């Protein structure tokens, strides 16, 4: 019944309702082909990700990715890489993959115990080792145009210097192209007083310490290591930035088969923001179904649903608005 078996405390989709609605694989493929043949151009990049789950859990993910590759679209895959099918391995070995395509693997730790703690798992099983094995499988077949990156969300349970160093050494040994440290975004209804509170609030000293560690490795390691803090860099000090332009920049197909404004609002929790049911309408019919005069109604709905911007869309919305103001 649950969408995901992990219990990551920082998951923005942790309370997502599972209505049981889905698109059939044939419908998915039709919709993906529509994105590559729009009335005013095509979508250049397709990102496969999960809302409170993982895209690689989907049994036909290889067919979806293969379709976008054949449509000559840039592909992105955001995954924890707990598993990867032989069929997807074969698809990703395609030398026709468009340049700038990537896979980003959420590693989030240097040690097995803290991996489980960071993801709210009570098991003692070494899941991190399985992820490393799957990265090795990818590296054996990946074409030059496919970047394999890893991400590390720094929390109260994985921030030690020894663990940061271990993670950098390991990803370099695995041949990962890029390794990025950052901090979890505070999700809706997050409890800073609960036992599962693992989000670091005072990041400044931590960032400086990690930068020092990175600088000691960068000259000798092949993996490009970085740390980012968009909250500080872009002065993100609130949950939402209106007016919202997400639907024009980053529309998202939700797991229930509806088209939504963005990845953060792509579940039945935000059904009132649905741009249309893709089981009934084409992608472009849903995308262009709006009246510029009524966009304020949509903004009011956003306030009522409690949706929040993820960092990239907060920045997009802010820059759009400031461009207009200037």
């Amino acid at each position: 019944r649950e969408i995901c078996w992990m219990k990551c405390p920082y998951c923005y989709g942790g309370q997502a309702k599972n209505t049981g609605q889905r698109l059939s694989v044939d419908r998915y493929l039709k919709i993906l082909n529509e994105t590559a043949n729009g009335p005013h151009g095509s979508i250049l990049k397709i990102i496969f990700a999960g809302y409170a789950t993982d895209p690689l859990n989907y049994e036909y993910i290889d067919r979806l990715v293969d379709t976008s590759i054949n449509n000559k679209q840039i592909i992105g895959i955001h995954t924890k890489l707990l598993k990867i099918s032989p069929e997807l391995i074969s698809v990703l070995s395609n030398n026709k993959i468009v340049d700038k395509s990537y896979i980003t693997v959420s590693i989030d730790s240097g040690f097995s115990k803290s991996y489980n703690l960071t993801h709210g798992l009570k098991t003692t099983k070494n899941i991190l080792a399985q992820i490393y094995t799957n990265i090795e499988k990818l590296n054996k077949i990946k074409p030059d145009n496919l970047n394999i990156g890893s991400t590390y969300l720094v929390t109260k349970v994985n921030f030690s210097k020894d663990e940061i160093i271990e993670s950098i050494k390991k990803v370099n040994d695995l041949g990962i192209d890029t390794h990025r440290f950052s901090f979890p975004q505070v999700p809706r209804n997050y409890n800073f007083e609960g036992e599962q509170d693992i989000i670091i609030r005072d990041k400044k000293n931590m960032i400086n310490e990690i930068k020092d560690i990175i600088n000691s490795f960068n000259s000798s390691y092949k993996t490009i290591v970085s740390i980012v803090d968009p909250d500080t860099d872009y002065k993100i000090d609130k949950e939402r930035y209106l007016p919202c332009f997400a639907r024009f920049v980053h529309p998202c197909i939700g797991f229930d088969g509806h088209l939504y404004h963005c990845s953060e609002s792509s579940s039945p929790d935000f059904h009132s923001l649905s741009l249309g049911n893709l089981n009934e309408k084409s992608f472009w019919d849903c995308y262009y179904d709006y009246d510029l005069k009524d966009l304020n109604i949509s903004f009011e709905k956003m306030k009522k649903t409690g949706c929040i911007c993820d960092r990239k869309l907060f920045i997009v919305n802010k820059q759009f608005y400031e461009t207009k103001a200037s």
Side-chain angles (χ1 to χ4, degrees):
R1 290 179 179 273
E2 294 183 349
I3 302 171
C4 184
W5 58 278
M6 284 190 166
K7 302 295 180 186
C8 308
Y10 51 81
C11 178
Y12 61 76
Q15 299 175 340
K17 299 172 185 175
N18 184 3
T19 62
Q21 286 182 291
R22 297 292 188 274
L23 292 175
S24 68
V25 62
D26 289 338
R27 188 64 181 163
Y28 262 129
L29 297 177
K30 180 176 175 59
I31 294 296
L32 281 174
N33 282 323
E34 288 174 357
T35 68
N37 296 281
H40 305 291
S42 63
I43 288 180
L44 302 180
K45 179 191 286 187
I46 299 290
I47 299 173
F48 299 92
Y51 192 100
T53 184
D54 194 287
L56 303 198
N57 288 345
Y58 181 54
E59 59 181 323
Y60 300 115
I61 186 63
D62 58 295
R63 295 180 63 185
L64 271 58
V65 173
D66 190 47
T67 297
S68 293
I69 291 173
N70 289 330
N71 285 332
K72 299 181 179 179
Q73 294 167 308
I74 297 170
I75 61 161
I77 300 175
H78 296 183
T79 178
K80 290 183 171 62
L81 206 64
L82 303 178
K83 64 178 183 178
I84 185 167
S85 68
E87 292 82 6
L88 183 57
I89 288 283
S90 178
V91 166
L92 293 173
S93 67
N94 190 336
N95 59 13
K96 294 181 181 178
I97 288 177
V98 176
D99 191 29
K100 298 182 181 178
S101 293
Y102 66 89
I103 298 176
T104 297
V105 183
S106 299
I107 291 180
D108 301 330
S109 61
F111 304 133
S112 173
K113 182 178 179 181
S114 58
Y115 179 91
N116 294 348
L117 288 172
T118 295
H119 296 92
L121 302 176
K122 296 181 179 180
T123 182
T124 57
K125 185 177 179 180
N126 191 343
I127 296 171
L128 187 58
Q130 182 59 44
I131 296 171
Y132 290 156
T133 297
N134 290 333
I135 291 172
E136 290 172 341
K137 291 179 183 178
L138 274 175
N139 261 328
K140 287 179 181 178
I141 58 86
K142 85 176 189 78
D144 292 339
N145 282 353
L146 182 66
N147 179 286
I148 298 180
S150 55
T151 58
Y152 191 121
L153 289 176
V154 183
T155 69
K156 293 179 180 178
V157 297
N158 65 9
F159 70 92
S160 73
K161 181 177 180 179
D162 287 346
E163 184 159 13
I164 298 294
I165 291 173
E166 176 64 21
S167 77
I168 296 174
K169 288 181 177 179
K170 186 63 181 180
V171 296
N172 185 72
D173 291 345
L174 287 168
I176 286 178
D177 297 305
T178 58
H179 188 52
R180 186 189 73 215
F181 291 95
S182 60
F183 297 84
Q185 182 177 12
V186 180
R188 294 182 305 151
N189 304 319
Y190 184 82
N191 182 8
F192 278 110
E193 306 301 327
E195 293 181 3
Q196 288 190 306
D197 172 25
I198 63 171
I199 292 180
I200 296 172
R201 278 165 278 185
D202 185 9
K203 298 179 289 184
K204 186 175 181 180
N205 290 336
M206 184 66 59
I207 290 171
N208 290 333
E209 290 175 13
I210 295 175
K211 281 182 178 178
D212 289 341
I213 295 172
I214 291 172
N215 290 336
S216 69
F217 282 99
N218 262 346
S219 60
S220 58
Y221 277 37
K222 292 182 179 179
T223 301
I224 298 172
V225 186
S226 63
I227 181 167
V228 297
D229 178 27
D231 294 341
T232 299
D233 294 342
Y234 293 93
K235 297 180 175 58
I236 300 175
D237 57 358
K238 52 186 177 182
E239 295 180 336
R240 186 190 301 109
Y241 201 100
L242 294 178
C244 177
F245 300 92
R247 63 165 292 152
F248 305 109
V249 180
H250 200 274
C252 183
I253 298 173
F255 62 81
D256 62 345
H258 282 251
L259 188 65
Y260 289 96
H261 284 248
C262 68
S263 56
E264 294 266 312
S265 63
S266 58
S267 86
D269 305 52
F270 305 99
H271 188 74
S272 64
L273 300 181
S274 167
L275 307 181
N277 186 345
L278 292 170
N279 272 307
E280 300 171 355
K281 298 168 64 177
S282 74
F283 178 89
W284 294 109
D285 283 344
C286 293
Y287 181 81
Y288 284 114
D289 185 15
Y290 65 88
D291 185 340
L292 283 174
K293 296 178 181 178
D294 292 334
L295 285 183
N296 281 333
I297 296 175
S298 177
F299 301 154
E300 289 302 317
K301 287 181 180 178
M302 290 177 184
K303 294 177 182 178
K304 291 178 181 179
T305 61
C307 70
I308 63 176
C309 294
D310 69 4
R311 287 160 173 158
K312 65 180 177 297
L313 285 171
F314 187 100
I315 294 167
V316 166
N317 285 333
K318 184 177 181 181
Q319 290 183 338
F320 262 113
Y321 183 79
E322 290 178 349
T323 298
K324 177 185 175 182
S326 63

